[in-house]
Amino acid sequence: MLTKRIIPCLDIKNGRTVKGVNFVDLRDAGDPVELAEIYANSGADELVFLDISATEERRKTLADLVYRVAEKVNIPFTVGGGISSIEDVDILLQNGADKVSINSSAVKNPQLINDLSAKFGSQCIVVAIDAKLIDGVWIVHLVGGKVPTELNLFDWAKEVEERGAGEILFTSMDNDGTKDGFANEALAKLSTDLNIPIIASGGAGNMQHFTDTFIKGKADAALAASVFHFKEIEIKDLKVELAKNNILVRL
């Protein structure tokens, strides 16, 4: 059985780490290089770095910042934001990223998933999906959750897998920043429907929420931001608690 992963997420805007609620009301959460180093040394299994305004502002992820973060960490490091070509991925991997995360660009050009997977290997390609429950249906949204599509979460996730993605990072926009727990029903369906790892994102507020998403949501990894950034939960303590609940983690 594979160990479950705990992944702090650094949402970056203008070179700073930020955190909001339901994708809005952002507040400063610190220097991403310092935070990355702290997490790498405190038991995080991986890091995710999302340049959240890169797509919206039509600019590329800050490769220099990626390089500075990569210098400080010794754990797998995923970078996303504004990635839309093989060249973009090349630059990020050269600057120290281990994996890349694509979102809006994958929806606009699904062939990109095939192309990146063929060039760099599926283990390197994470497709992030932001979705919101509308009239009982999970609808995929783009551009930091601002633009609804006509895509159904589960149909899109299946297509993403078939096109060669190695992992899916699913964020429930309804749960994001609320600290009310992850969207475990949707996560469990994704985990049952697909054969690739599912990373749960959106809603972590306490240690029980992580336990629940691994047991009820069948997630392979759990990603969170503010509970780690503002030291509400220490990763080492969280892993001890998960182990007590018979969840396999790297201690």
Side-chain angles (χ1 to χ4, degrees), residues 36 49 113 215 220 226-227:
F49 170 129
I113 305 169
I215 295 174
D220 298 279
S226 58
V227 290

Side-chain angles (χ1 to χ4, degrees), residues 146-204:
K146 293 181 174 68
V147 180
T149 68
E150 293 181 358
L151 289 172
N152 172 289
L153 164 65
F154 304 107
D155 295 342
W156 174 234
K158 193 69 191 161
E159 181 177 341
V160 159
E161 178 183 39
E162 288 166 356
R163 287 181 176 276
E167 281 185 292
I168 286 174
L169 167 56
F170 163 57
T171 301
S172 161
M173 293 172 59
D174 299 303
N175 298 55
D176 178 71
T178 63
K179 299 187 179 175
D180 290 335
F182 296 93
N184 291 321
E185 261 183 58
L187 284 160
K189 180 165 171 51
L190 286 170
S191 295
T192 303
D193 288 355
L194 307 180
N195 296 308
I196 56 176
I198 308 296
I199 305 168
S201 168

Side-chain angles (χ1 to χ4, degrees), residues 10-11 31 34 41 44 49 75 79 91 94 99 104-105 112 116 125 148 151 158 163 175 182 191 217 222:
L10 304 171
D11 289 325
D31 176 75
E34 288 174 13
N41 293 331
F49 170 129
I75 54 176
V79 180
I91 289 167
Q94 284 173 25
K99 300 188 243 185
S104 297
S105 59
L112 180 65
L116 294 180
I125 310 305
L151 289 172
K158 193 69 191 161
R163 287 181 176 276
N175 298 55
F182 296 93
S191 295

